[in-house]
Amino acid sequence: MNDTAKPQTEVEKLREDNALKADLISISAHQLRTSLSAIKWVMKMILDKDVGPLTGEQEGLLKKASDSNERMIVLVNDLLNLNHAQDIVLGYTFEQVQFEDILESVLFEFMSETKKRGIEILFIKPETDLSLINADKAKLRVVLQNLIENAIKYSKDGSKIFISLTEDTDGLKFSIKDNGIGIPEDVKAHIFEKFYRAPNAERWQTVGSGLGLFTVKKIVERHGGKIWFSSEGGSASGGESNGTTFYITLPKNSTFTSEAKA
Ligand code: ADP
């Protein structure tokens, strides 16, 4: 064996191990999700009293079980997204994409949720067509789904969320501003860490995994972009806040190519 062959073999072995692990996570998470969804629909039928009346106590207990089940579904979904973000098996598929189209279609998915909560999302559309960017469509969907979902989740009912999308010589800049609970000063440094949830967020919304922003950052950086936020006035005790704005940039002329499938 020559000197240059050895490191390559080790790298290959590592890639294989990682691919196997990613596969295992993916298969288990999909199976878990299928079972959890089945449980969800059975519990919904019982809670909707499709199969007969319930006592108040039965309803209360079942509601608790159903909430726990929902939390598990969120966690499993986040695990799947995280796995895809560092996907070694499927890799990233780069192609020329129109970011605004992806944004519009993700916004459409949230329509019933925002309607239910009386939240209005105001998207200030760019006046002209934006340049196409070199990106993985499915992964950018995950980015937008997480940022929009968080803005809604951490906002009060009836509030407004502002989205803007602009272009300059370097690339696209997307921002999403909410008037929600804010991010307290002392936890700002941890927000992109795996599994991290701020105390005010945990109190406000029990459903969450702390995997979303970690995944989003990985995806944005894999595209050669940046992500950051500004937030004022959030406090651990849940005091008043001026909300939070998340920003991402995505370069226009990146030369990333799709990875070979393992
Ligand atoms: P989670 O599943 O908890 O929402 P994320 O990884 O998406 O996890 O976000 C990590 C943490 O960042 C959240 O738990 C919350 O503390 C904070 N956060 C994210 N987005 C917002 C937002 N729009 N407003 C306030 N806090 C936010």
PDB file of all heavy atoms in Angstrom, residues 27-62:
ATOM      1  N   ILE A  27     -34.033   5.268   9.380  1.00  0.00           N
ATOM      2  CA  ILE A  27     -34.996   4.169   9.362  1.00  0.00           C
ATOM      3  C   ILE A  27     -35.778   4.129  10.686  1.00  0.00           C
ATOM      4  O   ILE A  27     -37.007   4.054  10.702  1.00  0.00           O
ATOM      5  CB  ILE A  27     -34.277   2.816   9.091  1.00  0.00           C
ATOM      6  CG1 ILE A  27     -33.723   2.818   7.659  1.00  0.00           C
ATOM      7  CG2 ILE A  27     -35.211   1.639   9.292  1.00  0.00           C
ATOM      8  CD1 ILE A  27     -32.681   1.765   7.397  1.00  0.00           C
ATOM      9  N   SER A  28     -35.038   4.230  11.822  1.00  0.00           N
ATOM     10  CA  SER A  28     -35.738   4.166  13.124  1.00  0.00           C
ATOM     11  C   SER A  28     -36.694   5.343  13.265  1.00  0.00           C
ATOM     12  O   SER A  28     -37.827   5.182  13.727  1.00  0.00           O
ATOM     13  CB  SER A  28     -34.765   4.195  14.298  1.00  0.00           C
ATOM     14  OG  SER A  28     -33.538   3.693  13.957  1.00  0.00           O
ATOM     15  N   ALA A  29     -36.224   6.540  12.875  1.00  0.00           N
ATOM     16  CA  ALA A  29     -37.074   7.724  13.048  1.00  0.00           C
ATOM     17  C   ALA A  29     -38.338   7.625  12.185  1.00  0.00           C
ATOM     18  O   ALA A  29     -39.433   7.953  12.640  1.00  0.00           O
ATOM     19  CB  ALA A  29     -36.294   8.986  12.719  1.00  0.00           C
ATOM     20  N   HIS A  30     -38.182   7.115  10.955  1.00  0.00           N
ATOM     21  CA  HIS A  30     -39.366   6.964  10.102  1.00  0.00           C
ATOM     22  C   HIS A  30     -40.345   5.964  10.690  1.00  0.00           C
ATOM     23  O   HIS A  30     -41.551   6.184  10.687  1.00  0.00           O
ATOM     24  CB  HIS A  30     -38.965   6.523   8.687  1.00  0.00           C
ATOM     25  CG  HIS A  30     -38.644   7.685   7.808  1.00  0.00           C
ATOM     26  ND1 HIS A  30     -37.383   7.920   7.328  1.00  0.00           N
ATOM     27  CD2 HIS A  30     -39.410   8.689   7.355  1.00  0.00           C
ATOM     28  CE1 HIS A  30     -37.389   9.036   6.610  1.00  0.00           C
ATOM     29  NE2 HIS A  30     -38.616   9.518   6.608  1.00  0.00           N
ATOM     30  N   GLN A  31     -39.787   4.860  11.239  1.00  0.00           N
ATOM     31  CA  GLN A  31     -40.687   3.863  11.832  1.00  0.00           C
ATOM     32  C   GLN A  31     -41.388   4.425  13.059  1.00  0.00           C
ATOM     33  O   GLN A  31     -42.583   4.222  13.257  1.00  0.00           O
ATOM     34  CB  GLN A  31     -39.905   2.600  12.183  1.00  0.00           C
ATOM     35  CG  GLN A  31     -39.756   1.719  10.959  1.00  0.00           C
ATOM     36  CD  GLN A  31     -38.875   0.520  11.187  1.00  0.00           C
ATOM     37  OE1 GLN A  31     -38.163   0.452  12.186  1.00  0.00           O
ATOM     38  NE2 GLN A  31     -38.894  -0.410  10.271  1.00  0.00           N
ATOM     39  N   LEU A  32     -40.609   5.158  13.864  1.00  0.00           N
ATOM     40  CA  LEU A  32     -41.210   5.782  15.059  1.00  0.00           C
ATOM     41  C   LEU A  32     -42.334   6.731  14.649  1.00  0.00           C
ATOM     42  O   LEU A  32     -43.404   6.756  15.244  1.00  0.00           O
ATOM     43  CB  LEU A  32     -40.148   6.593  15.807  1.00  0.00           C
ATOM     44  CG  LEU A  32     -39.329   5.847  16.850  1.00  0.00           C
ATOM     45  CD1 LEU A  32     -38.205   6.729  17.352  1.00  0.00           C
ATOM     46  CD2 LEU A  32     -40.229   5.465  18.025  1.00  0.00           C
ATOM     47  N   ARG A  33     -42.045   7.512  13.589  1.00  0.00           N
ATOM     48  CA  ARG A  33     -43.039   8.501  13.164  1.00  0.00           C
ATOM     49  C   ARG A  33     -44.321   7.835  12.671  1.00  0.00           C
ATOM     50  O   ARG A  33     -45.422   8.306  12.954  1.00  0.00           O
ATOM     51  CB  ARG A  33     -42.457   9.416  12.093  1.00  0.00           C
ATOM     52  CG  ARG A  33     -43.359  10.617  11.839  1.00  0.00           C
ATOM     53  CD  ARG A  33     -42.686  11.691  11.083  1.00  0.00           C
ATOM     54  NE  ARG A  33     -42.321  11.252   9.747  1.00  0.00           N
ATOM     55  CZ  ARG A  33     -41.774  12.054   8.840  1.00  0.00           C
ATOM     56  NH1 ARG A  33     -41.523  13.298   9.129  1.00  0.00           N
ATOM     57  NH2 ARG A  33     -41.486  11.613   7.649  1.00  0.00           N
ATOM     58  N   THR A  34     -44.168   6.715  11.972  1.00  0.00           N
ATOM     59  CA  THR A  34     -45.352   6.002  11.474  1.00  0.00           C
ATOM     60  C   THR A  34     -46.211   5.531  12.661  1.00  0.00           C
ATOM     61  O   THR A  34     -47.430   5.726  12.686  1.00  0.00           O
ATOM     62  CB  THR A  34     -44.911   4.778  10.631  1.00  0.00           C
ATOM     63  OG1 THR A  34     -43.995   5.251   9.658  1.00  0.00           O
ATOM     64  CG2 THR A  34     -46.076   4.117   9.962  1.00  0.00           C
ATOM     65  N   SER A  35     -45.543   4.952  13.671  1.00  0.00           N
ATOM     66  CA  SER A  35     -46.299   4.458  14.827  1.00  0.00           C
ATOM     67  C   SER A  35     -46.932   5.616  15.590  1.00  0.00           C
ATOM     68  O   SER A  35     -48.092   5.547  16.005  1.00  0.00           O
ATOM     69  CB  SER A  35     -45.385   3.697  15.786  1.00  0.00           C
ATOM     70  OG  SER A  35     -44.713   2.701  15.086  1.00  0.00           O
ATOM     71  N   LEU A  36     -46.157   6.690  15.776  1.00  0.00           N
ATOM     72  CA  LEU A  36     -46.695   7.837  16.536  1.00  0.00           C
ATOM     73  C   LEU A  36     -47.886   8.460  15.804  1.00  0.00           C
ATOM     74  O   LEU A  36     -48.846   8.906  16.437  1.00  0.00           O
ATOM     75  CB  LEU A  36     -45.600   8.886  16.751  1.00  0.00           C
ATOM     76  CG  LEU A  36     -44.456   8.465  17.687  1.00  0.00           C
ATOM     77  CD1 LEU A  36     -43.330   9.485  17.642  1.00  0.00           C
ATOM     78  CD2 LEU A  36     -44.956   8.311  19.119  1.00  0.00           C
ATOM     79  N   SER A  37     -47.816   8.476  14.471  1.00  0.00           N
ATOM     80  CA  SER A  37     -48.940   9.038  13.711  1.00  0.00           C
ATOM     81  C   SER A  37     -50.178   8.165  13.869  1.00  0.00           C
ATOM     82  O   SER A  37     -51.294   8.666  13.979  1.00  0.00           O
ATOM     83  CB  SER A  37     -48.612   9.133  12.232  1.00  0.00           C
ATOM     84  OG  SER A  37     -47.527   9.968  12.052  1.00  0.00           O
ATOM     85  N   ALA A  38     -49.959   6.846  13.887  1.00  0.00           N
ATOM     86  CA  ALA A  38     -51.105   5.946  14.062  1.00  0.00           C
ATOM     87  C   ALA A  38     -51.745   6.202  15.434  1.00  0.00           C
ATOM     88  O   ALA A  38     -52.974   6.326  15.547  1.00  0.00           O
ATOM     89  CB  ALA A  38     -50.637   4.506  13.939  1.00  0.00           C
ATOM     90  N   ILE A  39     -50.902   6.331  16.459  1.00  0.00           N
ATOM     91  CA  ILE A  39     -51.412   6.595  17.820  1.00  0.00           C
ATOM     92  C   ILE A  39     -52.184   7.920  17.826  1.00  0.00           C
ATOM     93  O   ILE A  39     -53.263   8.040  18.396  1.00  0.00           O
ATOM     94  CB  ILE A  39     -50.239   6.643  18.833  1.00  0.00           C
ATOM     95  CG1 ILE A  39     -49.578   5.268  18.926  1.00  0.00           C
ATOM     96  CG2 ILE A  39     -50.707   7.126  20.205  1.00  0.00           C
ATOM     97  CD1 ILE A  39     -48.274   5.239  19.718  1.00  0.00           C
ATOM     98  N   LYS A  40     -51.611   8.903  17.131  1.00  0.00           N
ATOM     99  CA  LYS A  40     -52.244  10.232  17.076  1.00  0.00           C
ATOM    100  C   LYS A  40     -53.678  10.130  16.541  1.00  0.00           C
ATOM    101  O   LYS A  40     -54.602  10.720  17.115  1.00  0.00           O
ATOM    102  CB  LYS A  40     -51.399  11.135  16.167  1.00  0.00           C
ATOM    103  CG  LYS A  40     -51.993  12.490  15.908  1.00  0.00           C
ATOM    104  CD  LYS A  40     -51.118  13.246  14.930  1.00  0.00           C
ATOM    105  CE  LYS A  40     -51.839  14.497  14.471  1.00  0.00           C
ATOM    106  NZ  LYS A  40     -50.949  15.630  14.373  1.00  0.00           N
ATOM    107  N   TRP A  41     -53.845   9.383  15.419  1.00  0.00           N
ATOM    108  CA  TRP A  41     -55.178   9.339  14.815  1.00  0.00           C
ATOM    109  C   TRP A  41     -56.167   8.553  15.648  1.00  0.00           C
ATOM    110  O   TRP A  41     -57.332   8.936  15.766  1.00  0.00           O
ATOM    111  CB  TRP A  41     -55.103   8.806  13.378  1.00  0.00           C
ATOM    112  CG  TRP A  41     -54.375   9.809  12.530  1.00  0.00           C
ATOM    113  CD1 TRP A  41     -53.190   9.625  11.891  1.00  0.00           C
ATOM    114  CD2 TRP A  41     -54.747  11.178  12.327  1.00  0.00           C
ATOM    115  NE1 TRP A  41     -52.792  10.800  11.294  1.00  0.00           N
ATOM    116  CE2 TRP A  41     -53.733  11.779  11.546  1.00  0.00           C
ATOM    117  CE3 TRP A  41     -55.813  11.973  12.742  1.00  0.00           C
ATOM    118  CZ2 TRP A  41     -53.761  13.103  11.159  1.00  0.00           C
ATOM    119  CZ3 TRP A  41     -55.848  13.311  12.360  1.00  0.00           C
ATOM    120  CH2 TRP A  41     -54.831  13.847  11.580  1.00  0.00           C
ATOM    121  N   VAL A  42     -55.674   7.494  16.317  1.00  0.00           N
ATOM    122  CA  VAL A  42     -56.573   6.724  17.191  1.00  0.00           C
ATOM    123  C   VAL A  42     -57.025   7.619  18.353  1.00  0.00           C
ATOM    124  O   VAL A  42     -58.222   7.714  18.667  1.00  0.00           O
ATOM    125  CB  VAL A  42     -55.863   5.449  17.722  1.00  0.00           C
ATOM    126  CG1 VAL A  42     -56.715   4.770  18.769  1.00  0.00           C
ATOM    127  CG2 VAL A  42     -55.569   4.498  16.561  1.00  0.00           C
ATOM    128  N   MET A  43     -56.070   8.321  18.956  1.00  0.00           N
ATOM    129  CA  MET A  43     -56.428   9.185  20.092  1.00  0.00           C
ATOM    130  C   MET A  43     -57.360  10.316  19.651  1.00  0.00           C
ATOM    131  O   MET A  43     -58.260  10.715  20.379  1.00  0.00           O
ATOM    132  CB  MET A  43     -55.168   9.738  20.746  1.00  0.00           C
ATOM    133  CG  MET A  43     -54.460   8.671  21.550  1.00  0.00           C
ATOM    134  SD  MET A  43     -53.379   9.286  22.828  1.00  0.00           S
ATOM    135  CE  MET A  43     -52.040   9.830  21.879  1.00  0.00           C
ATOM    136  N   LYS A  44     -57.129  10.808  18.438  1.00  0.00           N
ATOM    137  CA  LYS A  44     -57.994  11.888  17.938  1.00  0.00           C
ATOM    138  C   LYS A  44     -59.429  11.392  17.779  1.00  0.00           C
ATOM    139  O   LYS A  44     -60.388  12.082  18.149  1.00  0.00           O
ATOM    140  CB  LYS A  44     -57.444  12.414  16.608  1.00  0.00           C
ATOM    141  CG  LYS A  44     -58.206  13.624  16.113  1.00  0.00           C
ATOM    142  CD  LYS A  44     -57.577  14.230  14.897  1.00  0.00           C
ATOM    143  CE  LYS A  44     -58.311  15.441  14.356  1.00  0.00           C
ATOM    144  NZ  LYS A  44     -59.745  15.425  14.394  1.00  0.00           N
ATOM    145  N   MET A  45     -59.569  10.179  17.256  1.00  0.00           N
ATOM    146  CA  MET A  45     -60.920   9.623  17.082  1.00  0.00           C
ATOM    147  C   MET A  45     -61.626   9.503  18.433  1.00  0.00           C
ATOM    148  O   MET A  45     -62.810   9.838  18.564  1.00  0.00           O
ATOM    149  CB  MET A  45     -60.832   8.223  16.454  1.00  0.00           C
ATOM    150  CG  MET A  45     -60.777   8.241  14.942  1.00  0.00           C
ATOM    151  SD  MET A  45     -60.488   6.589  14.321  1.00  0.00           S
ATOM    152  CE  MET A  45     -62.020   5.801  14.746  1.00  0.00           C
ATOM    153  N   ILE A  46     -60.885   9.015  19.434  1.00  0.00           N
ATOM    154  CA  ILE A  46     -61.507   8.848  20.761  1.00  0.00           C
ATOM    155  C   ILE A  46     -61.848  10.222  21.361  1.00  0.00           C
ATOM    156  O   ILE A  46     -62.943  10.447  21.860  1.00  0.00           O
ATOM    157  CB  ILE A  46     -60.577   8.051  21.708  1.00  0.00           C
ATOM    158  CG1 ILE A  46     -60.208   6.697  21.072  1.00  0.00           C
ATOM    159  CG2 ILE A  46     -61.252   7.839  23.065  1.00  0.00           C
ATOM    160  CD1 ILE A  46     -59.191   5.885  21.855  1.00  0.00           C
ATOM    161  N   LEU A  47     -60.859  11.174  21.233  1.00  0.00           N
ATOM    162  CA  LEU A  47     -61.095  12.522  21.799  1.00  0.00           C
ATOM    163  C   LEU A  47     -62.239  13.248  21.089  1.00  0.00           C
ATOM    164  O   LEU A  47     -62.973  14.027  21.702  1.00  0.00           O
ATOM    165  CB  LEU A  47     -59.809  13.357  21.696  1.00  0.00           C
ATOM    166  CG  LEU A  47     -58.817  13.200  22.851  1.00  0.00           C
ATOM    167  CD1 LEU A  47     -57.508  13.895  22.519  1.00  0.00           C
ATOM    168  CD2 LEU A  47     -59.381  13.737  24.160  1.00  0.00           C
ATOM    169  N   ASP A  48     -62.387  12.986  19.781  1.00  0.00           N
ATOM    170  CA  ASP A  48     -63.496  13.598  19.029  1.00  0.00           C
ATOM    171  C   ASP A  48     -64.828  12.888  19.318  1.00  0.00           C
ATOM    172  O   ASP A  48     -65.851  13.223  18.739  1.00  0.00           O
ATOM    173  CB  ASP A  48     -63.212  13.543  17.515  1.00  0.00           C
ATOM    174  CG  ASP A  48     -62.124  14.531  17.112  1.00  0.00           C
ATOM    175  OD1 ASP A  48     -61.749  15.368  17.955  1.00  0.00           O
ATOM    176  OD2 ASP A  48     -61.640  14.456  15.962  1.00  0.00           O
ATOM    177  N   LYS A  49     -64.758  11.857  20.149  1.00  0.00           N
ATOM    178  CA  LYS A  49     -65.936  11.060  20.570  1.00  0.00           C
ATOM    179  C   LYS A  49     -66.594  10.333  19.399  1.00  0.00           C
ATOM    180  O   LYS A  49     -67.803  10.094  19.396  1.00  0.00           O
ATOM    181  CB  LYS A  49     -66.945  11.948  21.319  1.00  0.00           C
ATOM    182  CG  LYS A  49     -66.266  12.727  22.438  1.00  0.00           C
ATOM    183  CD  LYS A  49     -67.204  13.251  23.477  1.00  0.00           C
ATOM    184  CE  LYS A  49     -66.439  13.890  24.608  1.00  0.00           C
ATOM    185  NZ  LYS A  49     -66.081  15.248  24.507  1.00  0.00           N
ATOM    186  N   ASP A  50     -65.752   9.970  18.417  1.00  0.00           N
ATOM    187  CA  ASP A  50     -66.277   9.216  17.272  1.00  0.00           C
ATOM    188  C   ASP A  50     -66.675   7.807  17.683  1.00  0.00           C
ATOM    189  O   ASP A  50     -67.460   7.149  16.999  1.00  0.00           O
ATOM    190  CB  ASP A  50     -65.204   9.084  16.169  1.00  0.00           C
ATOM    191  CG  ASP A  50     -64.921  10.417  15.501  1.00  0.00           C
ATOM    192  OD1 ASP A  50     -65.701  11.357  15.739  1.00  0.00           O
ATOM    193  OD2 ASP A  50     -63.922  10.516  14.770  1.00  0.00           O
ATOM    194  N   VAL A  51     -66.086   7.324  18.784  1.00  0.00           N
ATOM    195  CA  VAL A  51     -66.388   5.940  19.170  1.00  0.00           C
ATOM    196  C   VAL A  51     -67.193   5.880  20.471  1.00  0.00           C
ATOM    197  O   VAL A  51     -67.273   4.843  21.114  1.00  0.00           O
ATOM    198  CB  VAL A  51     -65.088   5.096  19.300  1.00  0.00           C
ATOM    199  CG1 VAL A  51     -64.567   4.700  17.942  1.00  0.00           C
ATOM    200  CG2 VAL A  51     -64.028   5.845  20.084  1.00  0.00           C
ATOM    201  N   GLY A  52     -67.771   6.993  20.851  1.00  0.00           N
ATOM    202  CA  GLY A  52     -68.630   6.985  22.037  1.00  0.00           C
ATOM    203  C   GLY A  52     -68.247   8.058  23.030  1.00  0.00           C
ATOM    204  O   GLY A  52     -67.188   8.682  22.897  1.00  0.00           O
ATOM    205  N   PRO A  53     -69.097   8.300  24.019  1.00  0.00           N
ATOM    206  CA  PRO A  53     -68.841   9.372  24.978  1.00  0.00           C
ATOM    207  C   PRO A  53     -67.679   9.066  25.931  1.00  0.00           C
ATOM    208  O   PRO A  53     -67.309   7.907  26.103  1.00  0.00           O
ATOM    209  CB  PRO A  53     -70.164   9.475  25.752  1.00  0.00           C
ATOM    210  CG  PRO A  53     -70.849   8.173  25.543  1.00  0.00           C
ATOM    211  CD  PRO A  53     -70.329   7.571  24.292  1.00  0.00           C
ATOM    212  N   LEU A  54     -67.122  10.127  26.523  1.00  0.00           N
ATOM    213  CA  LEU A  54     -66.005   9.976  27.475  1.00  0.00           C
ATOM    214  C   LEU A  54     -66.375  10.681  28.773  1.00  0.00           C
ATOM    215  O   LEU A  54     -67.077  11.696  28.748  1.00  0.00           O
ATOM    216  CB  LEU A  54     -64.756  10.677  26.937  1.00  0.00           C
ATOM    217  CG  LEU A  54     -64.005  10.107  25.743  1.00  0.00           C
ATOM    218  CD1 LEU A  54     -62.898  11.075  25.321  1.00  0.00           C
ATOM    219  CD2 LEU A  54     -63.378   8.766  26.114  1.00  0.00           C
ATOM    220  N   THR A  55     -65.877  10.184  29.895  1.00  0.00           N
ATOM    221  CA  THR A  55     -66.062  10.939  31.141  1.00  0.00           C
ATOM    222  C   THR A  55     -65.039  12.074  31.112  1.00  0.00           C
ATOM    223  O   THR A  55     -64.048  12.013  30.355  1.00  0.00           O
ATOM    224  CB  THR A  55     -65.788  10.054  32.373  1.00  0.00           C
ATOM    225  OG1 THR A  55     -64.400   9.709  32.356  1.00  0.00           O
ATOM    226  CG2 THR A  55     -66.657   8.797  32.370  1.00  0.00           C
ATOM    227  N   GLY A  56     -65.231  13.073  31.941  1.00  0.00           N
ATOM    228  CA  GLY A  56     -64.304  14.202  32.001  1.00  0.00           C
ATOM    229  C   GLY A  56     -62.903  13.727  32.331  1.00  0.00           C
ATOM    230  O   GLY A  56     -61.909  14.209  31.780  1.00  0.00           O
ATOM    231  N   GLU A  57     -62.813  12.740  33.256  1.00  0.00           N
ATOM    232  CA  GLU A  57     -61.501  12.244  33.676  1.00  0.00           C
ATOM    233  C   GLU A  57     -60.802  11.530  32.517  1.00  0.00           C
ATOM    234  O   GLU A  57     -59.607  11.745  32.272  1.00  0.00           O
ATOM    235  CB  GLU A  57     -61.685  11.290  34.852  1.00  0.00           C
ATOM    236  CG  GLU A  57     -60.367  11.006  35.550  1.00  0.00           C
ATOM    237  CD  GLU A  57     -60.504   9.979  36.666  1.00  0.00           C
ATOM    238  OE1 GLU A  57     -61.629   9.456  36.855  1.00  0.00           O
ATOM    239  OE2 GLU A  57     -59.481   9.697  37.305  1.00  0.00           O
ATOM    240  N   GLN A  58     -61.561  10.714  31.807  1.00  0.00           N
ATOM    241  CA  GLN A  58     -60.974  10.000  30.657  1.00  0.00           C
ATOM    242  C   GLN A  58     -60.464  10.995  29.620  1.00  0.00           C
ATOM    243  O   GLN A  58     -59.367  10.860  29.073  1.00  0.00           O
ATOM    244  CB  GLN A  58     -62.023   9.081  30.012  1.00  0.00           C
ATOM    245  CG  GLN A  58     -62.291   7.824  30.807  1.00  0.00           C
ATOM    246  CD  GLN A  58     -63.527   7.084  30.306  1.00  0.00           C
ATOM    247  OE1 GLN A  58     -64.393   7.650  29.634  1.00  0.00           O
ATOM    248  NE2 GLN A  58     -63.620   5.816  30.646  1.00  0.00           N
ATOM    249  N   GLU A  59     -61.271  12.015  29.372  1.00  0.00           N
ATOM    250  CA  GLU A  59     -60.895  13.014  28.363  1.00  0.00           C
ATOM    251  C   GLU A  59     -59.607  13.735  28.771  1.00  0.00           C
ATOM    252  O   GLU A  59     -58.711  13.940  27.960  1.00  0.00           O
ATOM    253  CB  GLU A  59     -62.053  14.006  28.181  1.00  0.00           C
ATOM    254  CG  GLU A  59     -61.865  14.854  26.952  1.00  0.00           C
ATOM    255  CD  GLU A  59     -63.115  15.665  26.599  1.00  0.00           C
ATOM    256  OE1 GLU A  59     -64.206  15.376  27.136  1.00  0.00           O
ATOM    257  OE2 GLU A  59     -62.968  16.590  25.800  1.00  0.00           O
ATOM    258  N   GLY A  60     -59.539  14.102  30.058  1.00  0.00           N
ATOM    259  CA  GLY A  60     -58.362  14.815  30.574  1.00  0.00           C
ATOM    260  C   GLY A  60     -57.099  13.978  30.419  1.00  0.00           C
ATOM    261  O   GLY A  60     -56.055  14.467  29.983  1.00  0.00           O
ATOM    262  N   LEU A  61     -57.203  12.701  30.798  1.00  0.00           N
ATOM    263  CA  LEU A  61     -56.036  11.815  30.718  1.00  0.00           C
ATOM    264  C   LEU A  61     -55.598  11.602  29.271  1.00  0.00           C
ATOM    265  O   LEU A  61     -54.412  11.653  28.950  1.00  0.00           O
ATOM    266  CB  LEU A  61     -56.355  10.454  31.361  1.00  0.00           C
ATOM    267  CG  LEU A  61     -56.408  10.447  32.889  1.00  0.00           C
ATOM    268  CD1 LEU A  61     -56.953   9.127  33.420  1.00  0.00           C
ATOM    269  CD2 LEU A  61     -55.021  10.705  33.475  1.00  0.00           C
ATOM    270  N   LEU A  62     -56.574  11.407  28.432  1.00  0.00           N
ATOM    271  CA  LEU A  62     -56.274  11.163  27.020  1.00  0.00           C
ATOM    272  C   LEU A  62     -55.633  12.392  26.375  1.00  0.00           C
ATOM    273  O   LEU A  62     -54.735  12.307  25.533  1.00  0.00           O
ATOM    274  CB  LEU A  62     -57.561  10.785  26.287  1.00  0.00           C
ATOM    275  CG  LEU A  62     -57.352   9.977  25.032  1.00  0.00           C
ATOM    276  CD1 LEU A  62     -56.658   8.656  25.340  1.00  0.00           C
ATOM    277  CD2 LEU A  62     -58.684   9.688  24.347  1.00  0.00           C
TER     278      LEU A  62
END
